[in-house]
Amino acid sequence: MSNSTTSNAKQQTATPGGTQREQQKGSIAALRGLAPFLAPYRLQFILAGIALTVAAGATLAIPYAFKQMIDLGFGASAGVRSIEHVNAVFLALFGVATVLAIATAARFYTVSWLGERVTADIRSAVYRHVVRQSPAFFETTQTGEVLSRITTDTTLIQAVVGTSISMALRNLLLFAGGLVMLFVTSPKLSAIIIGLLILTVLPIVMFGRRVRSLSRDSQDRIADASAVAGEILNAMPTVQAFTHEKIETERFGASVERAFATAMRRIRARALLTMVAIVLVFGTIVFVLWLGAHAVIEGTMTGGDLGQFILYASIVAGAIGALSEVMGEAQRAAGATERLLELMSVQSAIESPARPVPLPPRAANGAALALENVTFFYPSRPDAPALAHVQLDIKPGETVAVVGPSGAGKTTLFQMFLRFYDPQQGAIRLDGVDIRQLDLHTLRDAIGIVPQDTVIFSADAMENIRYGRAGATDEEVIQAAKMAAAHEFIERLPNGYHSFLGERGVRLSGGQRQRIAIARALLKNPPLLLLDEATSALDAESERLVQSALEAAMVGRTTVIIAHRLATVQRADRIIVMEDGRIVETGTHRSLVALGGIYANLAALQFHSVHVTHTALDEATQ
């Protein structure tokens, strides 16, 4: 019971998100989750900070230079002295502009580099994390949604790290420095303007929460559209075969329109937020400047002081406006960060142990495989066991065929051997070692599999076969292809082994794809070979060639076969018959037919024509 509880708890962690994270959605605090990705680049951040500070200081020096020009240049008595002051002020302005230009360029380069670098790191980390998840994760998560998070969400984060953070810090410095200089210039007017600005900020902050929520919704709708598109594009032959092009186009169009409608709500909210912010902030500044103009007329302020105050007030207002814009971007990035962190927080239910046990040295005749009272429930079907109290002992070098009706648990056995799932009860042992004690790479390196649904990658034939063993030479690849009866058709391709096979192998027939998969498994040369209907897509001639190749490949290794075809089943040392997740019959083909049970019925239904042919031949020879 404890094992079951633990496994169920683990499976729950395979679903992105959770109650706690749902409560935190939309919070700017989510950007703190980027800290581990930013930490390695402290030096670059320091350099960017220096450049940013220098640029802000240069900007804040400009109003003071104008004050000097107005009061000491234009305000002085006409003559050489005023010309000297004007010349000096403009020369100083040019120097300030040069410093500002250099510092701004340095800041732009540094923060842009940081944005690209951190985004690349995040994409790599998310992808690395996703590919290590167990199949339970992909049962509940659409591929299109994962791709949306890796692309769209990281692009938003790139904008924040590469632009928005820098802009926010720059405008914070300008706001703080401008505020100080406003008080230096006129404490009375500054106190009035600050009080009014505080009153204007409150409604802006309140309305910003609405923008934050809509930003998160917008990203979710984009992910939904990506998921729909990915699903349909991966099933295009089926869509076209059933003439569902129009239906699927309309379905995707509806998804896009939902994303558009959500985005427009976000855009309208942000536009309204920007308008309100500008009207309130600049209305406040205009009112205070009106007071300042009266002070100049009354002689309590100089023209230079008012000019300086106007420029600093413009800097402060511009900084507030820019900060509100940056806040909108930060809110969108916060939503994107939350989505990525949700993905990164998912813990795979299947992981290598902290201290893995090594496998014994490989025996000459293959691996021993044992199932000890194995019971397993899929997470999506917790009430119906896929395997129930399965007890099986496979000796090294033995070839075992597993047969049974659909849903009997045959494919589940293979998934358990590869440790895509862990049983809730019992244990699976490879060469006497519980596979849960093995490093996942060690376990899976010892197993070669030819799946029923062959996966062909967008690469040439050479690289597709070499996928079985990355370090294999070209000669070893070609030898594996010859063993799998794939060499001849590969040689006939336009560029031979260097021919591009198309996405998912669309340039190959089903039988050719199957032989590529067999060659891949043979190249791996594992002690345990799993064949899931390995000859199901082959014609009679190809099946004969591959069967002989597989028979040679089975020498020196243990083989487990899921098969329905009589030729494959008859060659097995032992046949295991499964029904409803249990082993119900065991024996050879002849003994099981004589038993008259489930296998005999399957044989009668599936291999009737073969039996008729054999009977006719027997009668003809008598």
Side-chain angles (χ1 to χ4, degrees):
M1 183 64 70
S2 62
N3 287 344
S4 177
T5 304
T6 302
S7 179
N8 289 337
K10 285 184 177 180
Q11 295 291 358
Q12 289 174 1
T13 65
T15 303
T19 304
Q20 183 178 1
R21 298 198 65 80
E22 290 291 332
Q23 294 172 351
Q24 298 174 348
K25 280 184 179 179
S27 174
I28 294 295
L31 293 175
R32 295 174 185 169
L34 298 177
F37 298 101
L38 303 177
Y41 307 108
R42 292 185 183 89
L43 176 60
Q44 286 81 357
F45 274 102
I46 291 172
L47 293 176
I50 293 172
L52 189 149
T53 304
V54 171
T59 303
L60 291 172
I62 292 175
Y64 180 75
F66 271 91
K67 167 186 164 58
Q68 298 299 314
M69 180 181 67
I70 293 171
D71 285 348
L72 301 180
F74 299 152
S77 58
V80 177
R81 184 181 173 195
S82 62
I83 294 175
E84 290 175 350
H85 278 294
V86 169
N87 290 342
V89 167
F90 275 98
L91 185 62
L93 274 175
F94 179 76
V96 170
T98 302
V99 172
L100 177 62
I102 294 172
T104 301
R107 175 188 61 83
F108 172 79
Y109 175 83
T110 308
V111 298
S112 296
W113 183 91
L114 282 167
E116 295 289 348
R117 181 67 267 166
V118 169
T119 302
D121 291 349
I122 292 173
R123 283 176 176 154
S124 296
V126 172
Y127 188 78
R128 183 168 57 248
H129 184 74
V130 168
V131 298
R132 292 177 178 174
Q133 297 304 306
S134 68
F137 170 83
F138 297 99
E139 284 184 5
T140 57
T141 306
Q142 290 180 301
T143 304
E145 182 180 351
V146 175
L147 293 176
S148 173
R149 297 190 186 195
I150 293 176
T151 54
T152 306
D153 290 353
T154 52
T155 300
L156 290 175
I157 292 173
Q158 177 184 351
V160 168
V161 176
T163 304
S164 298
I165 291 178
S166 168
M167 293 295 294
L169 292 175
R170 174 178 179 272
N171 284 286
L172 280 173
L173 288 175
L174 291 177
F175 175 78
L179 205 58
V180 170
M181 292 306 297
L182 282 176
F183 276 96
V184 170
T185 306
S186 175
K188 177 183 176 181
L189 292 180
S190 299
I192 294 173
I193 198 171
I194 294 304
L196 293 175
L197 284 176
I198 290 174
L199 294 178
T200 62
V201 165
L202 291 177
I204 293 174
V205 171
M206 296 296 293
F207 198 73
R209 295 180 179 178
R210 170 67 175 165
V211 177
R212 183 174 61 217
S213 174
L214 290 173
S215 296
R216 171 73 193 215
D217 291 342
S218 179
Q219 289 306 111
D220 287 341
R221 298 295 78 75
I222 292 172
D224 292 343
S226 297
V228 170
E231 179 183 13
I232 298 309
L233 292 176
N234 285 331
M236 192 52 64
T238 303
V239 172
Q240 293 177 347
F242 285 89
T243 64
H244 274 219
E245 294 93 336
K246 183 179 179 181
I247 294 174
E248 295 302 344
T249 300
E250 291 173 352
R251 187 159 75 98
F252 178 72
S255 181
V256 170
E257 287 303 316
R258 285 193 295 271
F260 173 76
T262 305
M264 288 308 301
R265 288 198 297 271
R266 172 181 58 79
I267 291 170
R268 283 194 294 268
R270 283 195 62 188
L272 183 59
L273 175 62
T274 302
M275 180 188 72
V276 170
I278 292 175
V279 169
L280 292 179
V281 171
F282 278 90
T284 299
I285 292 173
V286 168
F287 172 71
V288 174
L289 292 182
W290 175 76
L291 295 177
H294 279 270
V296 173
I297 293 172
E298 294 168 1
T300 58
M301 283 185 74
T302 67
D305 285 336
L306 181 60
Q308 176 176 292
F309 190 87
I310 291 172
L311 290 177
Y312 280 126
S314 299
I315 289 174
V316 171
I320 293 174
L323 285 171
S324 68
E325 188 73 18
V326 168
M327 184 63 69
E329 292 296 328
Q331 287 164 348
R332 292 188 68 195
T337 301
E338 284 173 344
R339 286 156 51 86
L340 287 170
L341 292 179
E342 285 176 2
L343 201 56
M344 293 291 289
S345 68
V346 174
Q347 293 298 316
S348 176
I350 306 298
E351 294 180 340
S352 295
R355 296 180 179 177
V357 175
L359 271 176
R362 177 174 177 174
N365 57 344
L369 188 63
L371 286 82
E372 301 174 351
N373 196 32
V374 170
T375 297
F376 171 69
F377 297 81
Y378 280 105
S380 56
R381 301 191 298 274
D383 298 326
L387 297 175
H389 307 290
V390 175
Q391 194 80 24
L392 180 62
D393 190 8
I394 302 175
K395 299 179 179 61
E398 188 177 12
T399 298
V400 175
V402 182
V403 300
S406 179
K410 304 184 298 296
T411 300
T412 302
L413 269 184
F414 277 23
Q415 292 179 324
M416 303 299 287
F417 293 157
L418 289 160
R419 206 184 164 213
F420 288 159
Y421 299 92
D422 279 338
Q424 280 84 12
Q425 181 180 331
I428 302 173
R429 298 185 182 277
L430 182 66
D431 284 336
V433 181
D434 190 329
I435 63 173
R436 287 172 292 198
Q437 296 179 312
L438 295 172
D439 181 85
L440 285 175
H441 285 184
T442 300
L443 169 66
R444 293 167 184 171
D445 281 343
I447 301 174
I449 183 167
V450 180
Q452 184 174 5
D453 297 323
T454 303
V455 175
I456 301 296
F457 298 96
S458 297
D460 60 27
M462 182 72 73
E463 292 308 314
N464 263 284
I465 296 175
R466 189 179 276 123
Y467 203 82
R469 180 157 53 89
T473 64
D474 290 355
E475 291 73 17
E476 290 172 325
V477 170
I478 293 171
Q479 183 60 34
K482 289 179 178 178
M483 293 177 64
H487 177 72
E488 185 177 348
F489 83 78
I490 292 175
E491 285 285 280
R492 290 199 301 266
L493 295 174
N495 296 313
Y497 279 86
H498 298 290
S499 298
F500 178 68
L501 302 183
E503 186 175 1
R504 293 169 28 191
V506 294
R507 297 183 179 182
L508 301 178
S509 69
Q512 289 171 337
R513 289 197 294 269
Q514 198 96 43
R515 280 179 275 173
I516 291 286
I518 293 170
R520 188 185 293 162
L522 295 177
L523 181 65
K524 191 176 184 181
N525 191 28
L528 175 60
L529 185 62
L530 306 180
L531 305 178
D532 187 356
E533 292 286 3
T535 61
S536 62
L538 304 185
D539 55 42
E541 177 61 22
S542 296
E543 181 182 6
R544 183 185 63 80
L545 294 172
V546 172
Q547 282 291 354
S548 62
L550 287 176
E551 286 178 15
M554 291 175 190
V555 175
R557 74 184 82 244
T558 303
T559 308
V560 183
I561 307 168
I562 293 176
H564 295 296
R565 303 180 78 153
L566 184 60
T568 304
V569 173
Q570 281 185 320
R571 286 174 169 80
D573 299 319
R574 189 164 31 130
I575 300 171
I576 305 297
V577 184
M578 297 190 69
E579 186 179 43
D580 296 330
R582 300 174 184 272
I583 295 177
V584 293
E585 295 176 4
T586 303
T588 63
H589 170 72
R590 192 175 298 274
S591 66
L592 290 174
V593 169
L595 187 64
I598 294 175
Y599 180 82
N601 291 333
L602 289 173
L605 291 172
Q606 299 170 15
F607 312 127
H608 176 70
S609 61
V610 177
H611 280 294
V612 169
T613 302
H614 283 192
T615 302
L617 288 173
D618 289 342
E619 292 176 351
T621 56
Q622 287 177 356

